[in-house]
Short mmCIF file of all heavy atoms in Angstrom, two decimals:
data_model
loop_
_atom_site.label_atom_id
_atom_site.label_comp_id
_atom_site.label_asym_id
_atom_site.label_seq_id
_atom_site.Cartn_x
_atom_site.Cartn_y
_atom_site.Cartn_z
N ALA A 1 48.77 125.26 92.84
CA ALA A 1 47.41 125.25 93.42
C ALA A 1 47.06 126.54 94.13
O ALA A 1 46.03 126.63 94.77
CB ALA A 1 47.29 124.08 94.42
N SER A 2 47.93 127.55 93.99
CA SER A 2 47.73 128.80 94.74
C SER A 2 46.80 129.81 94.09
O SER A 2 46.57 130.87 94.63
CB SER A 2 49.10 129.45 94.97
OG SER A 2 49.67 129.90 93.77
N GLY A 3 46.26 129.47 92.91
CA GLY A 3 45.35 130.40 92.22
C GLY A 3 45.98 131.09 91.03
O GLY A 3 45.32 131.91 90.37
N VAL A 4 47.24 130.77 90.71
CA VAL A 4 47.85 131.36 89.53
C VAL A 4 47.24 130.78 88.27
O VAL A 4 46.61 129.72 88.26
CB VAL A 4 49.39 131.09 89.53
CG1 VAL A 4 50.05 131.77 90.70
CG2 VAL A 4 49.70 129.59 89.54
N ARG A 5 47.38 131.52 87.20
CA ARG A 5 46.87 131.07 85.91
C ARG A 5 47.92 130.25 85.20
O ARG A 5 49.06 130.66 85.09
CB ARG A 5 46.48 132.30 85.08
CG ARG A 5 45.90 132.00 83.71
CD ARG A 5 45.11 133.20 83.18
NE ARG A 5 45.80 134.47 83.39
CZ ARG A 5 46.66 134.98 82.53
NH1 ARG A 5 46.95 134.33 81.42
NH2 ARG A 5 47.24 136.15 82.77
N GLY A 6 47.53 129.09 84.77
CA GLY A 6 48.51 128.18 84.18
C GLY A 6 49.29 127.45 85.26
O GLY A 6 48.87 127.38 86.43
N ARG A 7 50.44 126.91 84.91
CA ARG A 7 51.24 126.15 85.86
C ARG A 7 52.70 126.17 85.44
O ARG A 7 53.03 126.49 84.29
CB ARG A 7 50.74 124.70 85.97
CG ARG A 7 50.82 123.93 84.68
CD ARG A 7 50.03 122.63 84.75
NE ARG A 7 50.55 121.73 85.77
CZ ARG A 7 51.54 120.83 85.50
NH1 ARG A 7 52.06 120.77 84.32
NH2 ARG A 7 51.95 120.03 86.44
N VAL A 8 53.54 125.87 86.41
CA VAL A 8 54.97 125.73 86.11
C VAL A 8 55.32 124.23 86.13
O VAL A 8 54.61 123.44 86.83
CB VAL A 8 55.87 126.49 87.10
CG1 VAL A 8 55.64 127.97 87.01
CG2 VAL A 8 55.67 125.99 88.53
N THR A 9 56.35 123.85 85.45
CA THR A 9 56.86 122.48 85.51
C THR A 9 58.31 122.57 86.01
O THR A 9 58.91 123.61 86.00
CB THR A 9 56.84 121.83 84.12
OG1 THR A 9 57.63 122.58 83.21
CG2 THR A 9 55.41 121.72 83.57
N TYR A 10 58.81 121.44 86.46
CA TYR A 10 60.21 121.46 86.94
C TYR A 10 60.97 120.20 86.54
O TYR A 10 60.38 119.16 86.23
CB TYR A 10 60.22 121.64 88.47
CG TYR A 10 59.90 120.38 89.26
CD1 TYR A 10 60.93 119.58 89.75
CD2 TYR A 10 58.60 120.03 89.56
CE1 TYR A 10 60.63 118.44 90.49
CE2 TYR A 10 58.29 118.91 90.32
CZ TYR A 10 59.32 118.10 90.76
OH TYR A 10 59.05 117.01 91.52
N GLU A 11 62.28 120.32 86.58
CA GLU A 11 63.18 119.24 86.31
C GLU A 11 64.35 119.30 87.29
O GLU A 11 64.89 120.36 87.54
CB GLU A 11 63.72 119.32 84.87
CG GLU A 11 64.67 118.20 84.50
CD GLU A 11 65.25 118.36 83.09
OE1 GLU A 11 64.95 119.41 82.46
OE2 GLU A 11 66.00 117.46 82.66
N LEU A 12 64.68 118.14 87.85
CA LEU A 12 65.86 118.06 88.75
C LEU A 12 67.00 117.39 87.98
O LEU A 12 66.86 116.30 87.48
CB LEU A 12 65.53 117.23 89.98
CG LEU A 12 64.71 117.94 91.09
CD1 LEU A 12 64.43 116.95 92.21
CD2 LEU A 12 65.47 119.13 91.62
N ILE A 13 68.13 118.10 87.91
CA ILE A 13 69.28 117.60 87.19
C ILE A 13 70.45 117.40 88.17
O ILE A 13 70.91 118.36 88.81
CB ILE A 13 69.72 118.58 86.10
CG1 ILE A 13 68.55 118.90 85.16
CG2 ILE A 13 70.90 118.04 85.30
CD1 ILE A 13 68.78 120.12 84.29
N LYS A 14 70.88 116.17 88.34
CA LYS A 14 72.01 115.91 89.25
C LYS A 14 73.29 116.39 88.60
O LYS A 14 73.64 116.00 87.49
CB LYS A 14 72.11 114.43 89.59
CG LYS A 14 73.23 114.12 90.59
CD LYS A 14 73.24 112.67 91.01
CE LYS A 14 72.21 112.37 92.06
NZ LYS A 14 72.38 111.00 92.65
N ILE A 15 74.00 117.29 89.29
CA ILE A 15 75.25 117.83 88.71
C ILE A 15 76.47 117.46 89.56
O ILE A 15 77.58 117.89 89.24
CB ILE A 15 75.15 119.37 88.59
CG1 ILE A 15 74.84 120.03 89.91
CG2 ILE A 15 74.12 119.77 87.54
CD1 ILE A 15 74.85 121.56 89.88
N GLY A 16 76.27 116.67 90.61
CA GLY A 16 77.40 116.25 91.45
C GLY A 16 77.02 115.15 92.38
O GLY A 16 75.95 115.19 93.01
N ASP A 17 77.90 114.17 92.53
CA ASP A 17 77.64 113.05 93.43
C ASP A 17 78.99 112.49 93.91
O ASP A 17 79.61 111.67 93.22
CB ASP A 17 76.82 111.98 92.74
CG ASP A 17 76.30 110.93 93.72
OD1 ASP A 17 76.70 110.94 94.88
OD2 ASP A 17 75.48 110.07 93.30
N ARG A 18 79.45 112.96 95.06
CA ARG A 18 80.69 112.47 95.64
C ARG A 18 80.38 111.65 96.87
O ARG A 18 79.75 112.14 97.80
CB ARG A 18 81.58 113.68 96.02
CG ARG A 18 81.94 114.58 94.85
CD ARG A 18 82.97 115.65 95.23
NE ARG A 18 83.32 116.48 94.09
CZ ARG A 18 84.48 117.13 93.99
NH1 ARG A 18 85.36 117.03 94.98
NH2 ARG A 18 84.73 117.85 92.92
N PRO A 19 80.84 110.42 96.93
CA PRO A 19 80.51 109.55 98.04
C PRO A 19 81.32 109.88 99.30
O PRO A 19 82.44 110.41 99.24
CB PRO A 19 80.88 108.16 97.55
CG PRO A 19 82.01 108.41 96.57
CD PRO A 19 81.64 109.72 95.91
N SER A 20 80.72 109.60 100.44
CA SER A 20 81.43 109.72 101.73
C SER A 20 82.16 108.39 102.01
O SER A 20 81.84 107.36 101.40
CB SER A 20 80.44 109.98 102.87
OG SER A 20 79.86 111.25 102.74
N GLY A 21 83.09 108.45 102.91
CA GLY A 21 83.76 107.23 103.34
C GLY A 21 84.83 107.55 104.35
O GLY A 21 85.22 108.70 104.51
N GLU A 22 85.31 106.53 105.05
CA GLU A 22 86.30 106.76 106.07
C GLU A 22 87.13 105.49 106.25
O GLU A 22 86.61 104.38 106.24
CB GLU A 22 85.59 107.11 107.37
CG GLU A 22 86.51 107.49 108.50
CD GLU A 22 85.70 108.00 109.72
OE1 GLU A 22 84.69 108.69 109.51
OE2 GLU A 22 86.11 107.70 110.84
N LEU A 23 88.45 105.66 106.40
CA LEU A 23 89.35 104.55 106.61
C LEU A 23 89.94 104.63 108.00
O LEU A 23 90.23 105.73 108.48
CB LEU A 23 90.48 104.58 105.58
CG LEU A 23 90.08 104.45 104.10
CD1 LEU A 23 91.26 104.67 103.20
CD2 LEU A 23 89.45 103.07 103.85
N PRO A 24 90.12 103.52 108.69
CA PRO A 24 90.66 103.54 110.03
C PRO A 24 92.10 103.96 110.10
O PRO A 24 92.90 103.72 109.16
CB PRO A 24 90.47 102.07 110.50
CG PRO A 24 90.46 101.28 109.25
CD PRO A 24 89.82 102.14 108.21
N ALA A 25 92.46 104.56 111.21
CA ALA A 25 93.86 105.02 111.40
C ALA A 25 94.81 103.84 111.51
O ALA A 25 96.02 104.02 111.30
CB ALA A 25 93.96 105.87 112.68
N SER A 26 94.29 102.66 111.77
CA SER A 26 95.16 101.48 111.92
C SER A 26 95.56 100.89 110.58
O SER A 26 96.43 100.00 110.53
CB SER A 26 94.42 100.39 112.71
OG SER A 26 93.19 100.04 112.08
N LEU A 27 95.00 101.37 109.50
CA LEU A 27 95.32 100.85 108.16
C LEU A 27 96.80 101.08 107.86
O LEU A 27 97.35 102.15 108.11
CB LEU A 27 94.46 101.56 107.13
CG LEU A 27 94.37 100.97 105.76
CD1 LEU A 27 93.60 99.64 105.78
CD2 LEU A 27 93.66 101.94 104.83
N PRO A 28 97.51 100.07 107.28
CA PRO A 28 98.96 100.24 107.02
C PRO A 28 99.30 101.50 106.25
O PRO A 28 100.28 102.19 106.59
CB PRO A 28 99.30 99.00 106.21
CG PRO A 28 98.35 97.94 106.78
CD PRO A 28 97.07 98.68 107.05
N LEU A 29 98.56 101.85 105.19
CA LEU A 29 98.88 103.04 104.42
C LEU A 29 98.76 104.32 105.28
O LEU A 29 99.60 105.22 105.21
CB LEU A 29 97.97 103.19 103.21
CG LEU A 29 98.14 104.47 102.36
CD1 LEU A 29 99.57 104.64 101.91
CD2 LEU A 29 97.16 104.49 101.19
N VAL A 30 97.73 104.38 106.12
CA VAL A 30 97.55 105.54 106.97
C VAL A 30 98.65 105.58 108.03
O VAL A 30 99.22 106.62 108.33
CB VAL A 30 96.16 105.52 107.68
CG1 VAL A 30 95.98 106.73 108.54
CG2 VAL A 30 95.05 105.48 106.60
N GLN A 31 99.02 104.43 108.60
CA GLN A 31 100.09 104.36 109.56
C GLN A 31 101.44 104.77 108.95
O GLN A 31 102.19 105.53 109.55
CB GLN A 31 100.19 102.92 110.11
CG GLN A 31 99.10 102.55 111.11
CD GLN A 31 99.36 103.15 112.47
OE1 GLN A 31 100.47 103.14 112.98
NE2 GLN A 31 98.32 103.77 113.04
N ARG A 32 101.70 104.29 107.75
CA ARG A 32 102.94 104.67 107.05
C ARG A 32 102.98 106.18 106.79
O ARG A 32 104.04 106.81 106.90
CB ARG A 32 103.08 103.88 105.77
CG ARG A 32 103.41 102.42 105.99
CD ARG A 32 103.28 101.57 104.77
NE ARG A 32 103.72 100.21 105.02
CZ ARG A 32 103.16 99.13 104.50
NH1 ARG A 32 102.11 99.25 103.65
NH2 ARG A 32 103.65 97.92 104.79
N THR A 33 101.85 106.72 106.41
CA THR A 33 101.78 108.15 106.13
C THR A 33 102.03 108.95 107.39
O THR A 33 102.78 109.98 107.38
CB THR A 33 100.40 108.53 105.52
OG1 THR A 33 100.19 107.75 104.33
CG2 THR A 33 100.33 110.00 105.17
N MET A 34 101.45 108.55 108.51
CA MET A 34 101.69 109.23 109.76
C MET A 34 103.13 109.09 110.20
O MET A 34 103.76 110.07 110.68
CB MET A 34 100.74 108.69 110.84
CG MET A 34 99.29 109.07 110.64
SD MET A 34 98.25 108.75 112.11
CE MET A 34 98.33 106.96 112.23
N ALA A 35 103.68 107.90 110.06
CA ALA A 35 105.08 107.66 110.49
C ALA A 35 106.05 108.49 109.65
O ALA A 35 107.00 109.09 110.16
CB ALA A 35 105.42 106.17 110.36
N ALA A 36 105.81 108.58 108.34
CA ALA A 36 106.66 109.36 107.46
C ALA A 36 106.56 110.84 107.80
O ALA A 36 107.52 111.60 107.80
CB ALA A 36 106.27 109.12 106.02
N THR A 37 105.33 111.28 108.10
CA THR A 37 105.12 112.69 108.47
C THR A 37 105.86 113.02 109.76
O THR A 37 106.47 114.07 109.88
CB THR A 37 103.60 112.95 108.66
OG1 THR A 37 102.95 112.68 107.40
CG2 THR A 37 103.34 114.39 109.07
N LYS A 38 105.78 112.11 110.72
CA LYS A 38 106.46 112.30 112.01
C LYS A 38 107.98 112.36 111.81
O LYS A 38 108.67 113.12 112.50
CB LYS A 38 106.12 111.11 112.92
CG LYS A 38 106.60 111.28 114.36
CD LYS A 38 105.79 112.31 115.09
CE LYS A 38 106.16 112.36 116.57
NZ LYS A 38 105.41 113.36 117.32
N PHE A 39 108.50 111.61 110.84
CA PHE A 39 109.95 111.63 110.56
C PHE A 39 110.42 113.03 110.22
O PHE A 39 111.54 113.40 110.54
CB PHE A 39 110.26 110.64 109.42
CG PHE A 39 111.68 110.73 108.95
CD1 PHE A 39 112.69 110.06 109.66
CD2 PHE A 39 112.04 111.48 107.83
CE1 PHE A 39 114.04 110.16 109.26
CE2 PHE A 39 113.36 111.59 107.42
CZ PHE A 39 114.35 110.91 108.13
N PHE A 40 109.57 113.80 109.56
CA PHE A 40 109.96 115.18 109.18
C PHE A 40 109.63 116.20 110.25
O PHE A 40 109.66 117.41 110.01
CB PHE A 40 109.26 115.57 107.85
CG PHE A 40 109.87 114.88 106.66
CD1 PHE A 40 109.29 113.75 106.13
CD2 PHE A 40 111.05 115.35 106.11
CE1 PHE A 40 109.84 113.12 105.02
CE2 PHE A 40 111.60 114.74 105.01
CZ PHE A 40 111.03 113.60 104.45
N GLY A 41 109.36 115.71 111.44
CA GLY A 41 109.15 116.60 112.58
C GLY A 41 107.80 117.23 112.67
O GLY A 41 107.59 118.16 113.46
N GLU A 42 106.84 116.71 111.90
CA GLU A 42 105.51 117.27 111.93
C GLU A 42 104.56 116.35 112.71
O GLU A 42 104.77 115.10 112.75
CB GLU A 42 104.94 117.41 110.48
CG GLU A 42 105.74 118.36 109.62
CD GLU A 42 105.60 119.80 110.04
OE1 GLU A 42 104.59 120.13 110.66
OE2 GLU A 42 106.52 120.60 109.75
N THR A 43 103.55 116.94 113.33
CA THR A 43 102.52 116.16 114.05
C THR A 43 101.42 115.76 113.03
O THR A 43 100.76 116.63 112.46
CB THR A 43 101.88 116.94 115.17
OG1 THR A 43 102.93 117.31 116.09
CG2 THR A 43 100.83 116.14 115.88
#
C-alpha cells in the first residue's frame, strides 16, 4: 500500500518445530542420573 507499482506476495514455510518441556528433579531417572554422576566424583 506504499505506492509501489504492482505487489509482492509471500509464503511462510515452517522449517523447524521443537517442543519445550521440563521434567522434575525428583523423577527416578533424573535421580539415578544424578546419583551415578555423583559416584564418579562429579557435581
Side-chain angles (χ1 to χ4, degrees):
S2 66
V4 295
R5 180 159 45 88
R7 60 194 297 271
V8 297
T9 60
Y10 77 95
E11 180 184 5
L12 282 177
I13 305 165
K14 183 175 279 190
I15 57 175
D17 191 352
R18 301 186 178 207
S20 294
E22 186 172 323
L23 298 173
S26 58
L27 195 68
L29 175 58
V30 180
Q31 285 284 314
R32 287 168 175 144
T33 303
M34 289 194 295
T37 300
K38 188 73 173 179
F39 173 80
F40 286 99
E42 299 290 335
T43 300

